[in-house]
Amino acid sequence: MKALQLQQISVGYPQYPRPLDLLWEWLTGTQRHTTHYALQDISFELEQGSTLGIVGDNGAGKSTLLRVLAGTLQPTAGVCLATDQRAALLELGASFQSQLSGLDNIRLGLALRGLSHAQINEYLPTVIEFAELQPWIEQPLKTYSSGMVMRLGFALATVLSPQLLIVDEALSVGDQHFQKKSLQRIKTIVAEGASLVFCSHNLYQVRELCQQAIWLEQGRVRQFGKAQAVVDAYQTACREREVITPAVISPQANNHLQSQPFIQSAQLLTTENKVFNTGAKFGVEVLINLNRYPVQEVHLGIVIRRNDEIQCYGMSTLHEGIALQGHDYAKVHYVIDELPLLAGDYCLELWLIDQTGLHVYDSRERCCHFQVQQSSQRQGIGVCQLPHRWKVYGL
Amino acid sequence: MMPLSGTKERKQWSTLFGQLVYLDLRTRYFNSRLGLAILIAQPLALLVVYSWIFGDLMQLKHQGGQDGHYFSEYLLAGLIAFNTLAEVFTRAPNLLLERRELLLNTALPAVLVPWVLVASSLLLEGISIALLIIWMSIQGLNPLWALGCYLPWLVIRLLWSSAGAALLSVLGVVLTDLRQVLSAILGILLLITPIFYRLEQIPSHWQTALLWNPFTYLIQGYQTALVQGEFKVLAWLPVLLASLVVWYLSVSMARRLLPKIRYVL
C-alpha cells in the first residue's frame, strides 16, 4: 500500500510587486505577477511503513514539498495522493493564536484536524498530559515560553497516531527530557507502522532514521533512492562546491545545553608539536562530564576530517557496542595503532550522542588539529594508505 | 461559499466553524473582565439612556408613527441594524490578516473565515433584539408579532453582512487603508441614514436623496417591523432581490480572489 503518491507536482508562487496588483490583475485580466517555481515536476512514491528523508540546500524547495505533503499548500500542477491520517511537525506552534489559552488552541488545532466535539473532548487530556502543561493550560499562550509552545505543538500534532508523519527539523523540542520524550513518540509512531517523511540539515539523523531519501536541488529531484547513497551523493556535491577554496580549519566553540552531558576536554595523546607520521600511533583522550546522566545513555562519536572538508573516517562507541564507564566523568581513549592517513592537515569532530544515536548532547567541530607527514612519497598519495598487494605476471 | 462535498466533510467543517465562532467571541468578549456581561450591558445601557433622554426629558415621538410609539424604540431598532452591519464591515478588512498564520500553516479553508464574522454578529444582534423585545413587552407592545415581522429583514441584514464580510476581507488584504476609509464612510452613513430622525421629517427633496442610500431601506424595515409590528412585502421584496444580486457578485468576486490571497498575505 502506498502512503504517498506524487505525480508531477509543481508549485509556483505568484509574486506581486504590490498586494494591489492582485486586484488589478483580476479586474483588468492582464498579468501583473511573475511566478517563482519552488517545486517542478516532482514525482515519487512511498510505501506505507517506510521512511523518507529529504535533503537539499536552503531554498531547494524542501519546506514547500513538506507543506504540499501536509496538505497546507495546494500544488499548482500535479497530483498528491496521501492518507488523510497525516500529521505534520512543521514550524511547531506557528499556527497558534497567542491571545487564546493553551486549551483553546488545542481545541482549535483538533478541530482543524477534522475532529468532532466529542473527539476533541476525548483527546484533550492526552494532549495536555503529553505536553506537560497542566498548570498553565488555561493561561493565554502569550505567557508561555517558546519551549512550552513547541511542546504543545508537538503534542497536538502527534496525538492522533497518524499513518503519515511529516517532520521538519523538529527533533529538538523543549528541554532535554521532552526531547527524548518526543523522539520516543516519533519512534513509536513509526514502529506502529506509520510512514515518516523527515527533512533535516542533520544528515546523520537522515541516515539513521530513513530508508530512502530525496535530494532536492532548485525545486527538482536531483536524486531519489536509498538514504545512504543519496546522502553520500549530496555530501560529495557539497564538498565539490567547497573544495575550490579549501576550508580554513578554525576552532569552533562547543555547543551544549545546560544539564546535559558535555565534552569537558579533548586532547591528542601525542608529542607537543601535534605532528604524526603515517603509520605511527595516534590517539586522543576525551573527558566527558556526564552531568548526572546514566553512563549507558551517553556515547561518543569521532570523525577525522581533512582541511578540504573530506571526512576521512568516523566511528562511534554506539555503533561498535562500546559501553562508557564512570559516575561523574567518563574518560575515553581513541587509539589508532598505525595511522593510515597520508600527509595533510587534519582535525577531529567529536559528537556526544544518546543511545538512540539521534539526539546530540554536545559536539566539538574542528578541534584537536594535527598534521600528518609522510616519511616518503613511497607511502602513497591521496587521503590514506589502503591495505593492498601487487601481483605481477609475465606474459 | 463553502464547497461541501459530503456529510463527513460537512460535519468536520461545522465543528471547526463552531470552534472559530466560539474563539472569536471569546477573544473579543469573554476574555475581558466584564465578559459576557458587556454584551448585555451595552445595548441595555443604550435603551435606558435613550428612553430617558428622548422619552422622558425631550418627550419625542415619531411623526408618522402610531400614537404611543416612542422615539427611543425606533432609535434602538435602527441602531441595532446599523451597528451590527458596521461591526462586520469594520472588522472584515483585518479578518484574513489576523488569521495569517492559521491560513498559511494549517488546512483552514479561507472561505470559512468571513462566515465567522457573520455568525458572531448574529449573536450580538440576538442579544440586543432580545432586550428590545423584553423592553417592548414591558411597554405593552406585542413583541412576538414584531419578531415575526423582523425575521425577513434579518435575512436581508445577513445577506449584506456575508457579502460585506467576504468582499471586504479580501479587499482588506490588497487595500491597506480600507479599514480607515470604511470607518469614515460609516460615520457619514450613520448621519445620512434615517436612524436619529424619520424620513418623513426631512424636506421632500432630501427624502429622495436619502432613498439612494441602501441603508435607509434596511433601517426602516427594522424600525417598522420591530416597533410598529408591520411587515410590508412590497417594500421587502425589491430589497431582497437587490441584496441577492449584490451578495452573488460580492461572494463570486471573493471566491475568485481568495485562493490567491495567500500569496500577498
Side-chain angles (χ1 to χ4, degrees), chain A residues 150-369:
Chain A
M150 291 185 81
R151 273 154 53 191
L152 189 60
F154 185 92
L156 189 57
T158 58
V159 68
L160 292 182
S161 293
Q163 287 185 355
L164 173 63
L165 184 63
I166 301 154
V167 182
D168 185 11
E169 303 269 17
L171 295 183
S172 300
V173 179
D175 56 19
Q176 167 60 22
H177 160 70
F178 198 80
Q179 282 181 24
K180 290 177 80 74
K181 192 173 165 180
S182 57
L183 187 60
Q184 191 54 48
R185 176 75 184 134
I186 289 176
K187 293 180 91 169
T188 305
I189 291 170
V190 174
E192 285 170 355
S195 306
L196 174 73
V197 176
F198 177 61
C199 176
S200 178
H201 286 288
N202 188 329
L203 301 178
Y204 171 74
Q205 287 182 333
V206 173
R207 274 203 194 95
E208 285 291 309
L209 271 174
C210 304
Q211 298 153 346
Q212 291 175 291
I214 281 188
W215 170 13
L216 287 180
E217 191 175 68
Q218 294 181 339
R220 293 178 182 275
V221 176
R222 168 83 181 260
Q223 191 172 340
F224 175 58
K226 288 188 175 175
Q228 183 71 44
V230 173
V231 170
D232 284 350
Y234 174 60
Q235 275 187 315
T236 303
C238 291
R239 278 197 292 268
E240 282 170 357
R241 272 180 303 184
E242 290 165 6
V243 79
I244 302 161
T245 51
V248 178
I249 293 176
S250 59
Q252 187 164 321
N254 58 332
N255 175 28
H256 71 269
L257 296 170
Q258 288 181 343
S259 74
Q260 291 195 20
F262 62 91
I263 298 166
Q264 184 87 35
S265 66
Q267 58 183 17
L268 296 167
L269 298 168
T270 181
T271 53
E272 287 179 1
N273 60 6
K274 299 178 182 174
V275 178
F276 294 86
N277 289 319
T278 301
K281 187 174 181 178
F282 170 87
V284 60
E285 179 184 280
V286 182
L287 185 62
I288 299 162
N289 187 326
L290 295 170
N291 223 337
R292 294 190 291 277
Y293 263 64
V295 73
Q296 59 271 23
E297 290 186 14
V298 183
H299 285 275
L300 178 67
I302 295 182
V303 175
I304 300 174
R305 190 182 283 276
R306 206 166 70 173
N307 71 337
D308 56 2
E309 293 291 317
I310 288 177
Q311 277 189 6
C312 304
Y313 185 68
M315 188 40 71
S316 72
T317 56
L318 175 68
H319 291 97
E320 294 202 296
I322 308 293
L324 301 192
Q325 292 178 5
H327 182 63
D328 296 325
Y329 292 91
K331 187 192 277 185
V332 178
H333 277 201
Y334 177 71
V335 177
I336 301 172
D337 288 324
E338 291 183 16
L339 187 67
L341 295 174
L342 296 174
D345 290 329
Y346 297 86
C347 66
L348 299 181
E349 275 181 17
L350 306 176
W351 298 87
L352 211 54
I353 52 180
D354 71 355
Q355 72 275 28
T356 67
L358 295 174
H359 177 66
V360 177
Y361 296 120
D362 188 14
S363 64
R364 296 276 182 97
E365 295 177 54
R366 299 186 177 89
C367 67
C368 300
H369 301 264

